[in-house]
Short mmCIF file of all heavy atoms in Angstrom, two decimals:
data_model
loop_
_atom_site.label_atom_id
_atom_site.label_comp_id
_atom_site.label_asym_id
_atom_site.label_seq_id
_atom_site.Cartn_x
_atom_site.Cartn_y
_atom_site.Cartn_z
N LEU A 1 -5.99 4.33 4.10
CA LEU A 1 -6.08 5.76 3.80
C LEU A 1 -5.42 6.09 2.46
O LEU A 1 -5.88 6.99 1.74
CB LEU A 1 -5.43 6.58 4.91
CG LEU A 1 -6.12 6.53 6.28
CD1 LEU A 1 -5.45 7.49 7.25
CD2 LEU A 1 -7.61 6.84 6.19
N GLU A 2 -4.37 5.39 2.12
CA GLU A 2 -3.75 5.60 0.81
C GLU A 2 -4.68 5.16 -0.30
O GLU A 2 -4.70 5.75 -1.39
CB GLU A 2 -2.42 4.85 0.74
CG GLU A 2 -1.33 5.47 1.61
CD GLU A 2 -0.06 4.64 1.66
OE1 GLU A 2 -0.17 3.39 1.62
OE2 GLU A 2 1.02 5.23 1.74
N MET A 3 -5.47 4.12 -0.03
CA MET A 3 -6.48 3.71 -1.01
C MET A 3 -7.51 4.82 -1.21
O MET A 3 -7.90 5.13 -2.34
CB MET A 3 -7.16 2.42 -0.53
CG MET A 3 -8.23 1.87 -1.48
SD MET A 3 -9.86 2.59 -1.24
CE MET A 3 -10.27 1.96 0.39
N LEU A 4 -7.93 5.47 -0.09
CA LEU A 4 -8.87 6.58 -0.21
C LEU A 4 -8.22 7.78 -0.92
O LEU A 4 -8.89 8.49 -1.67
CB LEU A 4 -9.37 7.00 1.17
CG LEU A 4 -10.28 6.01 1.90
CD1 LEU A 4 -10.67 6.56 3.26
CD2 LEU A 4 -11.52 5.68 1.08
N ASP A 5 -6.92 7.99 -0.69
CA ASP A 5 -6.20 9.04 -1.42
C ASP A 5 -6.26 8.77 -2.92
O ASP A 5 -6.47 9.68 -3.74
CB ASP A 5 -4.74 9.11 -0.96
CG ASP A 5 -4.59 9.69 0.43
OD1 ASP A 5 -5.48 10.43 0.88
OD2 ASP A 5 -3.56 9.39 1.07
N THR A 6 -6.06 7.51 -3.29
CA THR A 6 -6.10 7.12 -4.70
C THR A 6 -7.48 7.36 -5.29
O THR A 6 -7.63 7.87 -6.41
CB THR A 6 -5.70 5.65 -4.86
OG1 THR A 6 -4.38 5.46 -4.37
CG2 THR A 6 -5.74 5.23 -6.32
N LEU A 7 -8.51 7.00 -4.53
CA LEU A 7 -9.88 7.26 -4.98
C LEU A 7 -10.09 8.75 -5.21
O LEU A 7 -10.66 9.15 -6.24
CB LEU A 7 -10.87 6.73 -3.94
CG LEU A 7 -12.34 7.14 -4.17
CD1 LEU A 7 -12.87 6.54 -5.46
CD2 LEU A 7 -13.21 6.74 -2.98
N ASN A 8 -9.62 9.58 -4.29
CA ASN A 8 -9.81 11.02 -4.43
C ASN A 8 -9.07 11.59 -5.63
O ASN A 8 -9.54 12.52 -6.29
CB ASN A 8 -9.38 11.74 -3.15
CG ASN A 8 -10.44 11.67 -2.06
OD1 ASN A 8 -11.60 11.39 -2.33
ND2 ASN A 8 -10.04 11.93 -0.83
N GLU A 9 -7.91 11.03 -5.91
CA GLU A 9 -7.18 11.46 -7.11
C GLU A 9 -7.98 11.12 -8.36
O GLU A 9 -8.05 11.93 -9.31
CB GLU A 9 -5.81 10.78 -7.15
CG GLU A 9 -4.84 11.28 -6.08
CD GLU A 9 -3.56 10.47 -6.05
OE1 GLU A 9 -3.43 9.53 -6.87
OE2 GLU A 9 -2.68 10.79 -5.22
N GLN A 10 -8.59 9.95 -8.38
CA GLN A 10 -9.39 9.56 -9.53
C GLN A 10 -10.65 10.42 -9.65
O GLN A 10 -11.05 10.80 -10.76
CB GLN A 10 -9.76 8.08 -9.42
CG GLN A 10 -8.55 7.15 -9.49
CD GLN A 10 -8.91 5.68 -9.29
OE1 GLN A 10 -10.08 5.31 -9.16
NE2 GLN A 10 -7.89 4.83 -9.25
N LEU A 11 -11.25 10.76 -8.49
CA LEU A 11 -12.43 11.63 -8.53
C LEU A 11 -12.06 13.03 -8.99
O LEU A 11 -12.79 13.66 -9.78
CB LEU A 11 -13.07 11.69 -7.14
CG LEU A 11 -13.74 10.41 -6.63
CD1 LEU A 11 -14.23 10.60 -5.20
CD2 LEU A 11 -14.88 10.00 -7.53
N ALA A 12 -10.92 13.54 -8.51
CA ALA A 12 -10.48 14.88 -8.90
C ALA A 12 -10.20 14.96 -10.40
O ALA A 12 -10.48 15.97 -11.05
CB ALA A 12 -9.24 15.27 -8.10
N SER A 13 -9.65 13.89 -10.96
CA SER A 13 -9.34 13.88 -12.39
C SER A 13 -10.62 13.92 -13.23
O SER A 13 -10.60 14.34 -14.39
CB SER A 13 -8.52 12.64 -12.75
OG SER A 13 -9.29 11.45 -12.57
N LYS A 14 -11.75 13.51 -12.63
CA LYS A 14 -13.04 13.54 -13.32
C LYS A 14 -13.82 14.82 -13.00
O LYS A 14 -14.94 15.00 -13.49
CB LYS A 14 -13.88 12.33 -12.92
CG LYS A 14 -13.25 10.99 -13.26
CD LYS A 14 -14.12 9.86 -12.73
CE LYS A 14 -13.48 8.50 -12.95
NZ LYS A 14 -14.32 7.40 -12.37
N GLY A 15 -13.24 15.67 -12.16
CA GLY A 15 -13.93 16.89 -11.78
C GLY A 15 -14.99 16.67 -10.71
O GLY A 15 -15.85 17.53 -10.50
N GLU A 16 -14.94 15.55 -10.01
CA GLU A 16 -15.91 15.25 -8.96
C GLU A 16 -15.34 15.62 -7.59
O GLU A 16 -14.13 15.70 -7.40
CB GLU A 16 -16.28 13.76 -8.97
CG GLU A 16 -16.91 13.30 -10.27
CD GLU A 16 -17.25 11.81 -10.24
OE1 GLU A 16 -17.44 11.28 -9.14
OE2 GLU A 16 -17.31 11.20 -11.33
N ALA A 17 -16.23 15.86 -6.63
CA ALA A 17 -15.81 16.25 -5.29
C ALA A 17 -15.14 15.07 -4.59
O ALA A 17 -15.65 13.95 -4.59
CB ALA A 17 -17.02 16.70 -4.47
N PRO A 18 -13.97 15.30 -3.99
CA PRO A 18 -13.29 14.22 -3.27
C PRO A 18 -14.03 13.84 -2.00
O PRO A 18 -14.84 14.61 -1.48
CB PRO A 18 -11.91 14.82 -2.95
CG PRO A 18 -12.16 16.29 -2.91
CD PRO A 18 -13.21 16.57 -3.93
N VAL A 19 -13.74 12.66 -1.50
CA VAL A 19 -14.35 12.18 -0.26
C VAL A 19 -13.61 12.82 0.91
O VAL A 19 -12.38 12.78 0.99
CB VAL A 19 -14.24 10.64 -0.17
CG1 VAL A 19 -14.80 10.16 1.17
CG2 VAL A 19 -14.98 9.99 -1.33
N ALA A 20 -14.37 13.41 1.83
CA ALA A 20 -13.78 14.04 3.02
C ALA A 20 -13.60 12.99 4.11
O ALA A 20 -14.55 12.33 4.50
CB ALA A 20 -14.66 15.18 3.52
N PHE A 21 -12.37 12.83 4.53
CA PHE A 21 -12.08 11.95 5.67
C PHE A 21 -10.97 12.59 6.48
O PHE A 21 -10.23 13.43 5.99
CB PHE A 21 -11.70 10.53 5.22
CG PHE A 21 -10.43 10.44 4.42
CD1 PHE A 21 -9.21 10.19 5.03
CD2 PHE A 21 -10.45 10.59 3.03
CE1 PHE A 21 -8.05 10.09 4.30
CE2 PHE A 21 -9.28 10.49 2.28
CZ PHE A 21 -8.08 10.24 2.91
N GLU A 22 -10.86 12.18 7.72
CA GLU A 22 -9.93 12.82 8.63
C GLU A 22 -8.70 11.95 8.87
O GLU A 22 -8.80 10.72 8.99
CB GLU A 22 -10.60 13.11 9.98
CG GLU A 22 -9.84 14.06 10.86
CD GLU A 22 -10.65 14.47 12.08
OE1 GLU A 22 -11.75 13.93 12.30
OE2 GLU A 22 -10.16 15.34 12.84
N SER A 23 -7.53 12.56 8.94
CA SER A 23 -6.29 11.85 9.29
C SER A 23 -5.25 12.89 9.67
O SER A 23 -5.37 14.06 9.32
CB SER A 23 -5.78 10.99 8.13
OG SER A 23 -5.33 11.79 7.06
N ASP A 24 -4.25 12.43 10.40
CA ASP A 24 -3.18 13.34 10.80
C ASP A 24 -1.87 12.59 10.81
O ASP A 24 -1.12 12.61 9.84
CB ASP A 24 -3.49 13.94 12.17
CG ASP A 24 -2.51 15.04 12.56
OD1 ASP A 24 -1.72 15.46 11.71
OD2 ASP A 24 -2.54 15.49 13.72
N CYS A 25 -1.59 11.88 11.91
CA CYS A 25 -0.27 11.27 12.05
C CYS A 25 -0.05 10.09 11.11
O CYS A 25 1.06 9.83 10.67
CB CYS A 25 -0.06 10.80 13.49
SG CYS A 25 -1.05 9.36 13.97
N ARG A 26 -1.12 9.35 10.80
CA ARG A 26 -1.04 8.12 9.99
C ARG A 26 -0.05 7.12 10.58
O ARG A 26 0.58 6.33 9.86
CB ARG A 26 -0.70 8.44 8.53
CG ARG A 26 -1.75 9.34 7.89
CD ARG A 26 -1.80 9.22 6.39
NE ARG A 26 -2.86 10.05 5.82
CZ ARG A 26 -3.36 9.89 4.60
NH1 ARG A 26 -2.89 8.95 3.81
NH2 ARG A 26 -4.33 10.67 4.16
N GLU A 27 0.09 7.14 11.88
CA GLU A 27 0.97 6.22 12.58
C GLU A 27 0.26 5.52 13.73
O GLU A 27 0.89 4.93 14.61
CB GLU A 27 2.20 6.96 13.13
CG GLU A 27 3.09 7.54 12.04
CD GLU A 27 4.27 8.32 12.62
OE1 GLU A 27 4.27 8.57 13.84
OE2 GLU A 27 5.19 8.66 11.85
N GLY A 28 -1.06 5.60 13.76
CA GLY A 28 -1.82 4.93 14.81
C GLY A 28 -1.75 5.60 16.16
O GLY A 28 -1.98 4.94 17.18
N ILE A 29 -1.46 6.89 16.20
CA ILE A 29 -1.27 7.59 17.47
C ILE A 29 -2.37 8.63 17.72
O ILE A 29 -2.84 8.77 18.85
CB ILE A 29 0.11 8.28 17.50
CG1 ILE A 29 1.22 7.25 17.39
CG2 ILE A 29 0.28 9.09 18.78
CD1 ILE A 29 2.60 7.84 17.23
N CYS A 30 -2.81 9.35 16.70
CA CYS A 30 -3.70 10.49 16.93
C CYS A 30 -5.16 10.09 17.05
O CYS A 30 -5.95 10.78 17.70
CB CYS A 30 -3.53 11.52 15.82
SG CYS A 30 -4.19 11.01 14.21
N GLY A 31 -5.58 9.00 16.42
CA GLY A 31 -6.96 8.54 16.53
C GLY A 31 -7.96 9.23 15.64
O GLY A 31 -9.16 8.98 15.74
N SER A 32 -7.52 10.10 14.75
CA SER A 32 -8.46 10.89 13.96
C SER A 32 -9.02 10.15 12.75
O SER A 32 -10.02 10.58 12.19
CB SER A 32 -7.79 12.19 13.50
OG SER A 32 -6.70 11.92 12.64
N CYS A 33 -8.43 9.04 12.35
CA CYS A 33 -8.77 8.41 11.07
C CYS A 33 -9.94 7.44 11.14
O CYS A 33 -10.28 6.82 10.13
CB CYS A 33 -7.55 7.69 10.51
SG CYS A 33 -6.95 6.34 11.57
N GLY A 34 -10.55 7.26 12.31
CA GLY A 34 -11.52 6.19 12.48
C GLY A 34 -12.75 6.27 11.59
O GLY A 34 -13.39 7.32 11.49
N VAL A 35 -13.09 5.15 10.97
CA VAL A 35 -14.34 4.99 10.21
C VAL A 35 -14.80 3.55 10.40
O VAL A 35 -14.05 2.69 10.86
CB VAL A 35 -14.16 5.29 8.69
CG1 VAL A 35 -13.79 6.74 8.45
CG2 VAL A 35 -13.12 4.36 8.07
N MET A 36 -16.05 3.29 10.03
CA MET A 36 -16.59 1.93 10.03
C MET A 36 -16.31 1.29 8.68
O MET A 36 -16.58 1.89 7.63
CB MET A 36 -18.09 1.96 10.30
CG MET A 36 -18.51 2.60 11.60
SD MET A 36 -17.99 1.68 13.07
CE MET A 36 -19.08 0.27 12.98
N ILE A 37 -15.77 0.09 8.71
CA ILE A 37 -15.47 -0.66 7.48
C ILE A 37 -16.18 -2.00 7.57
O ILE A 37 -15.88 -2.81 8.46
CB ILE A 37 -13.96 -0.86 7.30
CG1 ILE A 37 -13.23 0.48 7.28
CG2 ILE A 37 -13.67 -1.64 6.01
CD1 ILE A 37 -11.72 0.36 7.34
N ASN A 38 -17.14 -2.20 6.70
CA ASN A 38 -17.96 -3.42 6.73
C ASN A 38 -18.54 -3.67 8.12
O ASN A 38 -18.57 -4.80 8.63
CB ASN A 38 -17.15 -4.63 6.27
CG ASN A 38 -16.85 -4.59 4.78
OD1 ASN A 38 -17.44 -3.81 4.04
ND2 ASN A 38 -15.93 -5.42 4.33
N GLY A 39 -18.98 -2.59 8.75
CA GLY A 39 -19.64 -2.69 10.04
C GLY A 39 -18.73 -2.81 11.23
O GLY A 39 -19.21 -2.93 12.37
N ALA A 40 -17.42 -2.76 11.03
CA ALA A 40 -16.47 -2.89 12.13
C ALA A 40 -15.68 -1.59 12.29
O ALA A 40 -15.18 -1.04 11.30
CB ALA A 40 -15.50 -4.05 11.89
N ALA A 41 -15.59 -1.10 13.52
CA ALA A 41 -14.82 0.11 13.78
C ALA A 41 -13.35 -0.14 13.51
O ALA A 41 -12.76 -1.09 14.02
CB ALA A 41 -15.02 0.56 15.23
N HIS A 42 -12.73 0.67 12.67
CA HIS A 42 -11.32 0.55 12.26
C HIS A 42 -11.06 -0.68 11.39
O HIS A 42 -9.91 -1.00 11.11
CB HIS A 42 -10.38 0.52 13.47
CG HIS A 42 -10.22 1.83 14.16
ND1 HIS A 42 -9.68 2.94 13.56
CD2 HIS A 42 -10.54 2.22 15.42
CE1 HIS A 42 -9.66 3.96 14.42
NE2 HIS A 42 -10.19 3.56 15.54
N GLY A 43 -12.09 -1.40 11.00
CA GLY A 43 -11.89 -2.53 10.10
C GLY A 43 -11.78 -3.87 10.80
O GLY A 43 -11.97 -3.97 12.01
N PRO A 44 -11.43 -4.91 10.04
CA PRO A 44 -11.51 -6.28 10.56
C PRO A 44 -10.34 -6.74 11.42
O PRO A 44 -10.41 -7.82 12.02
CB PRO A 44 -11.57 -7.12 9.27
CG PRO A 44 -10.77 -6.31 8.28
CD PRO A 44 -11.06 -4.88 8.62
N ILE A 45 -9.27 -5.98 11.51
CA ILE A 45 -8.08 -6.41 12.25
C ILE A 45 -8.09 -5.77 13.64
O ILE A 45 -8.14 -4.55 13.77
CB ILE A 45 -6.78 -6.03 11.50
CG1 ILE A 45 -6.84 -6.53 10.06
CG2 ILE A 45 -5.57 -6.60 12.22
CD1 ILE A 45 -6.99 -8.02 9.93
N GLY A 46 -8.03 -6.58 14.68
CA GLY A 46 -8.06 -6.07 16.04
C GLY A 46 -6.80 -5.30 16.40
O GLY A 46 -5.72 -5.57 15.88
#
């Protein structure tokens, strides 16, 4: 998610629309951050 934050900062500096993604606790508790990464839910780590 911090990588996506960095991407959004770079997009904002260019005047482009940031990527919308969901997050809250960022501690693995709320479940809001889920996305598919290379075809795997939540990424490659179980």
Side-chain angles (χ1 to χ4, degrees):
L1 294 185
E2 289 173 326
M3 181 274 293
L4 292 179
D5 288 336
T6 300
L7 170 65
N8 280 342
E9 290 173 0
Q10 295 177 4
L11 291 176
S13 67
K14 300 176 184 177
E16 300 180 25
V19 176
F21 63 93
E22 194 171 6
S23 68
D24 188 10
C25 71
R26 300 204 177 198
E27 295 178 350
I29 299 172
C30 71
S32 63
C33 62
V35 296
M36 301 293 289
I37 303 171
N38 289 346
H42 287 297
I45 308 300

